[in-house]
Amino acid sequence: MKNKRKTKRGFVNPFKVKNLRRKILLIIGVMFIIRLINQIPTPGVDHNYLKQILGSGNGAMGFMNLMTGGSLSSLSILALNISPYITASIVIELLSIVFKQLEEMKRDGKHGQEELKKITLISAIGLSFVQALAMSIGFGRKGMLTNFTWYWVIIITLIWTASAGALAFVGNYMTEKKICNGVSLILACNILSGVLDDLFSLWEVAFTGHKMAKGILYITLLTIFIFLMTLFVVYLQTGKREIPVTNSRKYNGKVNPMAMRSTLPIPVNPSNVIPVIFASSIFSVPSMIAMIVTPKSGSVWEKVVNLTNTSEWFRSSAFYYTAGWLVYVALVLFFEVFYTNIIFNDLEIADNLKKSGSQIPGVRPGADTADYLRKKIKHTTLLGGIGISVVATIPMVLSGVFNISNISLMGTSLVIIVGVIIENARQIDADTSAYKIEGIMR
């Protein structure tokens, strides 16, 4: 009973604080308006064009459609949604390794971070324009535009570019005002918007042509499976490897026992869902090109498209296409390790430990500590990368082997949703604690 009361109070507490209550209501209002705008159709296009091509929503293109909350398949005015900004953010993060100016901006405090945000926003608008223009011309020639003329191409390109830029600005504004992580919340809201339709589809699959008992068993097993997957994803998002650290410094001539013992946490999955998004983006390129330029039957290009089309994997009729899955997993692991190396600088961490008088037991300060940390970080994050690959692969196996495709609360989308919930829950909890402390000080 005590635990239940604590949980209830913990849930209700944010609503008791006026400023937090305003933030939560503002978030709900903004998400509602975005979903409302998402229903506005783009003028001058055939709104069933991409629905017929994307079909059941499988494959890398299906994942991109999931990220847009279905606005890509319905060709609404938010067709590109927040995806160009997410892609631009990842690319800028990766380019900061090559260009020292971007790296300096990241470390230049608030001013540098503001400049980096402006660059990311401008890059996202540029990427939106290129994507919108490519879709307007490529798909427009094949029947997407009701009137394929140069001025309609420009109008639709500008509509999609402006809407993607506005959405990126709203997401950034919410983050800057510390309301929430706006971009990730918009992405999670897009994914959750398709859950209800997916549940109805699964219900029809379970009970159409089957006995009641069999349908109930099907739904029960699927619910248990999703629950276990959620627990696994929560572990990937919150799991850490604690490396013991001792401090040999004395305070006021005495050794502080509490200061002597501490830990250096290494997250199991520090890069979150970035490796999967990047790998899926790469794999969606051949499918996107194939939708614009239809490959000839039996050609090498058609085989390449099928290898990169995740809906073709794990099918018994053409199992050799599953070779594309091996490349996909290799890309996920590569980006996992690559992005982790950006986040964790083992030499810098080892140097900071040495300066603070801290040391890992049994390891010499300096170069030996850096080598030790490099190995531990690599092993830990590699396990995280394998875990993310498993989570991302499960919907593909279910689709190829059991022909179950409409499950939004699984795979990469589950990782995104769990990550956003954990991140925003921590922020709300921190804000609640801050307001409590402020009230005590008053």
Side-chain angles (χ1 to χ4, degrees):
M1 290 297 291
K2 287 182 180 179
N3 290 336
K4 287 183 180 179
R5 285 175 184 173
K6 284 180 181 178
T7 305
K8 188 177 180 181
R9 281 199 292 267
F11 178 77
V12 174
N13 274 340
F15 292 94
K16 292 180 178 178
V17 181
K18 189 177 180 181
N19 289 341
L20 279 178
R21 187 167 62 247
R22 284 180 179 176
K23 282 185 179 183
I24 293 169
L25 292 175
L26 181 61
I27 290 169
I28 295 170
V30 170
M31 294 303 113
F32 177 77
I33 291 169
I34 290 172
R35 293 309 307 168
L36 199 63
I37 296 173
N38 205 44
Q39 307 306 314
I40 301 174
T42 304
V45 301
D46 179 5
H47 298 283
N48 294 317
Y49 179 80
L50 279 184
K51 284 181 182 177
Q52 296 169 359
I53 295 174
L54 290 174
S56 60
N58 291 327
M61 283 300 298
F63 174 68
M64 300 304 290
N65 184 48
L66 187 68
M67 287 177 64
T68 63
S71 60
L72 179 62
S73 61
S74 63
L75 292 173
S76 74
I77 62 171
L78 289 176
L80 300 180
N81 215 279
I82 201 69
S83 56
Y85 183 81
I86 293 170
T87 305
S89 300
I90 298 171
V91 171
I92 294 296
E93 191 74 38
L94 295 174
L95 286 176
S96 64
I97 305 171
V98 181
F99 299 100
K100 291 182 178 179
Q101 290 179 340
L102 294 175
E103 179 64 27
E104 288 173 1
M105 283 182 187
K106 286 173 65 177
R107 299 183 179 183
D108 193 23
K110 188 176 179 180
H111 176 72
Q113 293 291 335
E114 291 296 326
E115 290 297 319
L116 201 60
K117 283 179 183 177
K118 287 179 183 177
I119 293 171
T120 306
L121 188 58
I122 293 169
S123 302
I125 293 170
L127 183 61
S128 303
F129 180 81
V130 172
Q131 287 182 346
L133 185 63
M135 286 176 62
S136 300
I137 296 174
F139 294 146
R141 286 175 178 173
K142 302 184 75 175
M144 184 186 77
L145 299 187
T146 52
N147 294 307
F148 184 66
T149 55
W150 66 269
Y151 52 86
W152 269 113
V153 168
I154 292 173
I155 289 169
I156 292 167
T157 299
L158 291 176
I159 289 173
W160 287 347
T161 303
S163 63
L167 210 57
F169 176 80
V170 170
N172 258 324
Y173 179 81
M174 293 174 74
T175 306
E176 286 176 7
K177 296 299 179 181
K178 295 183 180 180
I179 298 171
C180 64
N181 190 320
V183 175
S184 62
L185 197 64
I186 291 169
L187 179 59
C189 186
N190 288 340
I191 294 169
L192 288 171
S193 65
V195 170
L196 195 60
D197 290 335
D198 292 350
L199 290 176
F200 280 121
S201 299
L202 288 171
W203 186 268
E204 288 179 4
V205 170
F207 290 99
T208 303
H210 301 107
K211 293 181 179 179
M212 180 65 71
K214 191 175 181 180
I216 293 171
L217 179 63
Y218 175 87
I219 294 294
T220 303
L221 290 174
L222 191 61
T223 303
I224 293 170
F225 185 72
I226 292 174
F227 176 73
L228 293 174
M229 282 299 302
T230 304
L231 290 180
F232 180 63
V233 171
V234 170
Y235 168 74
L236 286 176
Q237 298 288 62
T238 59
K240 294 177 183 179
R241 184 173 188 172
E242 303 284 353
I243 296 177
V245 176
T246 58
N247 193 306
S248 58
R249 285 188 176 180
K250 294 182 179 181
Y251 298 88
N252 297 323
K254 296 179 181 180
V255 176
N256 187 345
M258 296 300 294
M260 285 183 65
R261 298 177 183 178
S262 60
T263 57
L264 180 66
I266 300 174
V268 175
N269 181 36
S271 56
N272 206 317
V273 77
I274 288 175
V276 175
I277 291 177
F278 219 72
S280 298
S281 299
I282 291 172
F283 267 62
S284 67
V285 172
S287 298
M288 178 71 81
I289 295 172
M291 288 163 68
I292 298 172
V293 183
T294 306
K296 293 181 180 179
S297 180
S299 64
V300 177
W301 176 239
E302 185 187 40
K303 292 178 180 178
V304 170
V305 171
N306 288 331
L307 281 170
T308 56
N309 186 0
T310 59
S311 61
E312 296 293 329
W313 298 346
F314 302 102
R315 294 191 182 276
S316 57
S317 57
F319 199 76
Y320 50 87
Y321 287 134
T322 309
W325 170 75
L326 298 174
V327 181
Y328 177 83
V329 172
L331 278 173
V332 171
L333 294 177
F334 169 76
F335 286 119
E336 178 76 30
V337 175
F338 186 74
Y339 191 78
T340 302
N341 288 334
I342 299 173
I343 300 171
F344 291 102
N345 188 330
D346 48 85
L347 290 172
E348 187 177 349
I349 296 171
D351 187 50
N352 290 335
L353 287 173
K354 188 177 180 180
K355 288 178 180 178
S356 64
S358 301
Q359 181 182 349
I360 298 172
V363 182
R364 291 182 179 180
D368 289 349
T369 300
D371 291 336
Y372 178 85
L373 288 173
R374 191 179 302 114
K375 290 177 183 178
K376 292 295 181 182
I377 291 169
K378 189 179 291 184
H379 292 160
T380 305
T381 53
L382 190 61
L383 288 173
I386 293 170
I388 288 294
S389 300
V390 170
V391 172
T393 300
I394 284 173
M396 303 168 191
V397 175
L398 292 176
S399 175
V401 179
F402 301 103
N403 201 28
I404 301 173
S405 57
N406 295 319
I407 309 178
S408 296
L409 286 176
M410 196 174 283
T412 309
S413 56
L414 183 62
V415 179
I416 295 171
I417 292 167
V418 170
V420 171
I421 290 172
I422 291 172
E423 182 183 7
N424 285 286
R426 283 172 178 168
Q427 185 169 330
I428 289 171
D429 188 50
D431 288 346
T432 306
S433 301
Y435 283 119
K436 282 182 180 178
I437 293 168
E438 186 179 345
I440 292 168
M441 293 298 289
R442 284 177 183 175

